[in-house]
Amino acid sequence: MGRQRCRLHFLKETIHIVEMIQLDDIKRMLQVQGYFTDDTVAMSVFLSMQLEKPLLVEGPAGVGKTEIAKVLAKAMDTKLIRLQCYEGLDATHALYEWNYQRQLLHLKMTEHNEQSLEEKERTIFNEAFLLKRPLLQAITQEKKPVLLIDEIDRSDEEFESFLLEVLSDWQITIPEIGTIHASKIPQVILTSNRTRELSEALQRRCLYLYIDYPDFEKEWTIVKHKTPGIDSKLAGQITRFMQELRTVKMEKKPGLSETLDWAKALASLHIDHLDRVVIEQTLGVVIKDWKDTREVQLSLGELMEKTGIIPRVDKL
Amino acid sequence: MNSRKTSLSANIIQFCRFLRQKGFTSGMHEESTALQALELIDFGNSKTFFEALKAVLCRNREQVETFGNLYNEYWKKLDLEIDSKEKTKEVRKSEFKKNGSFKSLKTWLYGNQNGETEETATYSTAERFSEKDFSAIHDDENEEIKKRIKALAKRLAAKLTHRYEQSPDIFLPDIRRTLRKNLRRGGELLDIVHKRPKRNRSKLVVICDVSRSMELYASFLVQFMYAIQQVYRRLETFIFSTSLQRVTNDLRQKSFTDVKHLLGNENYGWGAGTRIGESLNLFVEQFGRKLIDSGTIVIIMSDGWDTGGIDKLETSMRYIHSRAKMVIWLNPLSGYEGYKPEVAGMRTALPYIDVFAPVHNLESLKQLGKWL
């Protein structure tokens, strides 16, 4: 128990040094940047900032996982460094690479110099010849950056364990130069689409946040704020329709970003309410799979009935 | 276990232990993180307190979903114990059975006694949409079936060909590519390109009959489809009764519970009539071109009892046979002695099948490896 208290005491000291941000500030900060959120998200972001732990965000596509990082970078007025993961991504693409071509050219140019071999070697293995990839960039920043590691589930397991090492030690060793320690520990956001299970070790290192499709109230607020000039009746209809649409069994469920795209499209067409023709003509904005499109077209009548959009004919 | 502690930190630690019993990974590390987090927030506000603990202690989606209930359960229990000094009995986590017992396989082999279905297999024309309940299937059986299928999948993936492909790892030097790549640097060999033997990667397509006549084997089919999807990546799974459904994404869920839930969906037509011809035709039309090529092995699981058109079955089977590397038909009935493929559907399909094998017990699963 005594040890615990000692630890807490130590923590208190360090937090005074880190800028003291309150929980409510986070929510306000995100809102100012146009990101509407709930308590769970705000709390996770807050704790991840304060405890300096990476935040692992999971959820279906298009609910604003990546957006968190972007908004956070804006709110903290700092750089966003993005590492997009893909199958086959390896350490050289994430950390650093030597600029071979430049080194070679340099050697050719200095061929007839009187420099000794050691000296030449020292010059070409210099930071000037180093291509910094996202992870190295992130730890060599002057100001605490936001590091976004996007779609971590797409990378290989080897890369994941490599990442684990970087995330825990915050240092990178380059054999020719030496070890580079992080000047500022970056604010890390990892996103995943749950296509595969992440390793337990990585999960334990992070705080976890699951973002689901927004409920009606939240989605409606976001639609209204993100598409200025939209008819508020239309916004309501769009949101209700999307909420119902997600209950249909589909290959790819439309996310919040599809809702916003649709709202923007309809608003720029100066449409003030939904009807069958409008929906059928603009369905391509929301649904990106031909099978889903067919499915939705078949059940469009039922969907419209549920959402209270009565076809124009009935109105007359 | 849950005796009342007066200090907050002690309570938090006990809460973490409580969660650990419920399958959370809340160890020492999480306990201290939780305490650190509480330092930062206004824990007088119960909502904030809850959100903070949730943010720190949950590790995946399932945990996020159950956390609320567990939280209520624990702190309510504490409230009850304010005045009592009694300690509640320790709740022991039910022990996980180690040996996969193939319950569902056994039960239907020995007369199907678990009451899941007690009707005889037959076919029907009526479309019946009923939700299928797979809750009787136990998770522990999956491990064993998974192991068997893993062995199969390994064999599928391990076949090396005589050709080589570029390799990101250091393996064999690829002289031709190395020279080619370094030519533009004046022939100085700076980069060495590596190659490795190409793997023979067969794609698999599983098409599974879930109609009424196959109902006896339903739970085994689900396990089979789940297990094979888990271990083999290049796989597409379809189920059909009166029409065809693609279930690849449903099967890609992490937990078997989710899969059971998703597959039980009433729209999937469990136990409806059988229209093999129409369903296969639909498959050929919609996916045939895209999914079947000369490296694809098509596995069809059905008993061949059909009420649909025989012509369509024949044309579809001919198409599949002509494009695919191999067509395997697994018929649960053919495991019985004296079985002859005399059903009209089966007889029609037979000329276009490379391997006709039973899936009725573990041994037959092993046998399957011989053909792949």
Side-chain angles (χ1 to χ4, degrees), chain B residues 42-288:
Chain B
D42 164 30
F43 52 77
N45 181 341
S46 63
K47 179 121 189 11
T48 322
F49 181 67
F50 168 74
E51 292 290 353
L53 286 183
K54 186 168 148 189
V56 170
L57 296 174
C58 291
R59 285 282 169 269
N60 56 42
R61 189 186 172 186
E62 287 73 41
Q63 292 177 356
V64 168
E65 275 160 7
T66 51
F67 186 83
N69 288 337
L70 291 175
Y71 177 87
N72 284 338
E73 192 184 325
Y74 177 81
W75 297 101
K76 212 175 270 168
K77 256 189 204 167
L78 275 194
D79 283 346
L80 286 179
E81 280 160 13
I82 285 181
D83 298 320
S84 70
K85 282 179 183 170
E86 236 177 290
K87 283 191 177 181
T88 38
K89 269 185 193 166
E90 197 169 320
V91 201
R92 282 196 70 180
K93 212 173 132 192
S94 61
E95 266 179 43
F96 209 75
K97 267 192 193 163
K98 266 206 169 163
N99 302 322
S101 51
F102 290 97
K103 233 168 266 157
S104 45
L105 259 182
K106 268 187 197 156
T107 38
W108 73 255
L109 270 180
Y110 302 123
N112 195 44
Q113 281 154 349
N114 67 349
E116 201 185 326
T117 39
E118 279 178 2
E119 288 152 284
T120 37
T122 174
Y123 66 87
S124 68
T125 41
E127 279 229 36
R128 284 182 348 127
F129 287 108
S130 53
E131 240 172 78
K132 185 83 186 158
D133 182 21
F134 293 117
S135 48
I137 311 176
H138 293 279
D139 272 348
D140 50 340
E141 302 170 29
N142 285 319
E143 280 313 308
E144 193 63 29
I145 292 191
K146 240 189 195 168
K147 222 159 72 190
R148 298 278 166 136
I149 291 176
K150 222 174 219 162
L152 283 184
K154 227 179 196 167
R155 194 185 284 211
L156 268 178
K159 277 186 190 152
L160 299 178
T161 60
H162 292 293
R163 308 179 81 177
Y164 288 91
E165 63 183 353
Q166 219 170 321
S167 152
D169 312 314
I170 296 171
F171 198 77
L172 281 171
D174 186 339
I175 312 260
R176 190 186 63 78
R177 278 213 182 85
T178 306
L179 289 175
R180 179 76 243 170
K181 195 178 176 190
N182 287 297
L183 261 187
R184 59 174 205 182
R185 294 182 189 145
E188 278 174 67
L189 295 187
L190 287 173
D191 288 330
I192 297 177
V193 185
H194 296 274
K195 64 179 179 181
R196 64 180 171 208
K198 222 174 181 172
R199 274 171 198 280
N200 174 24
R201 293 190 186 174
S202 307
K203 278 189 286 183
L204 274 182
V205 173
V206 175
I207 306 173
C208 185
D209 185 349
V210 295
S211 62
R212 186 115 177 100
S213 55
M214 294 284 280
E215 199 155 28
L216 276 175
Y217 322 107
S219 42
F220 171 69
L221 293 180
V222 170
Q223 281 177 321
F224 179 81
M225 289 189 287
Y226 170 71
I228 199 164
Q229 188 85 62
Q230 293 294 309
V231 296
Y232 204 75
R233 270 198 165 189
R234 297 155 67 84
L235 170 72
E236 289 283 338
T237 313
F238 298 86
I239 58 178
F240 70 89
S241 50
T242 47
S243 78
L244 187 82
Q245 304 277 358
R246 177 171 176 266
V247 291
T248 313
N249 287 342
D250 294 341
L251 288 167
R252 283 210 176 122
Q253 304 299 317
K254 274 184 258 169
S255 80
F256 190 56
T257 326
D258 285 356
V259 172
K260 283 191 282 192
H261 181 70
L262 279 170
L263 276 188
N265 189 320
E266 51 184 299
N267 291 332
Y268 283 165
W270 288 93
T274 328
R275 290 202 203 111
I276 305 184
E278 268 89 349
S279 305
L280 284 185
N281 194 35
L282 207 64
F283 169 75
V284 167
E285 267 174 19
Q286 291 186 0
F287 303 98

Side-chain angles (χ1 to χ4, degrees), chain A residues 1 3-4 7-9 11-12 15 20-23 39-41 43-44 46-47 50-51 53 56 58 87 90 100-101 104 108 153 158 194-198 200 203-210 212 249 251 290-291 294, chain B residues 9 13 25-30 32-33 35-37 39-41 47-49 51-52 54-56 58-62 64-65 168 184-185 188 190-191 233 244-246 249-250 252-254 258 262 265 267-268 286-287:
Chain A
M1 207 49 234
R3 229 171 111 189
Q4 198 67 266
R7 204 191 157 102
L8 286 181
H9 181 70
L11 228 125
K12 239 181 196 167
I15 279 157
M20 199 65 195
I21 313 172
Q22 287 304 313
L23 179 61
D39 290 338
T40 316
V41 177
M43 177 59 84
S44 294
F46 170 72
L47 286 179
Q50 293 291 3
L51 299 171
K53 271 174 166 274
L56 171 64
E58 281 192 343
E87 216 179 309
D90 58 5
Y100 289 119
Q101 281 91 345
L104 210 65
K108 289 259 171 189
D153 51 336
E158 297 102 68
R194 285 164 63 83
T195 55
R196 74 175 170 86
E197 182 117 37
L198 298 176
E200 187 101 319
Q203 285 185 352
R204 292 195 77 174
R205 205 77 24 113
C206 307
L207 292 184
Y208 180 84
L209 173 64
Y210 184 82
D212 212 341
K249 165 103 191 116
E251 294 276 307
W290 71 270
K291 246 189 116 183
R294 206 183 50 185
Chain B
S9 50
I13 286 169
T25 42
S26 46
M28 279 267 284
H29 180 74
E30 281 74 14
S32 69
T33 321
L35 289 172
Q36 284 169 20
E39 286 277 300
L40 299 165
I41 58 154
K47 179 121 189 11
T48 322
F49 181 67
E51 292 290 353
K54 186 168 148 189
V56 170
C58 291
R59 285 282 169 269
N60 56 42
R61 189 186 172 186
E62 287 73 41
V64 168
E65 275 160 7
R184 59 174 205 182
R185 294 182 189 145
E188 278 174 67
L190 287 173
D191 288 330
R233 270 198 165 189
L244 187 82
Q245 304 277 358
R246 177 171 176 266
N249 287 342
D250 294 341
R252 283 210 176 122
Q253 304 299 317
K254 274 184 258 169
D258 285 356
L262 279 170
N265 189 320
N267 291 332
Y268 283 165
Q286 291 186 0
F287 303 98

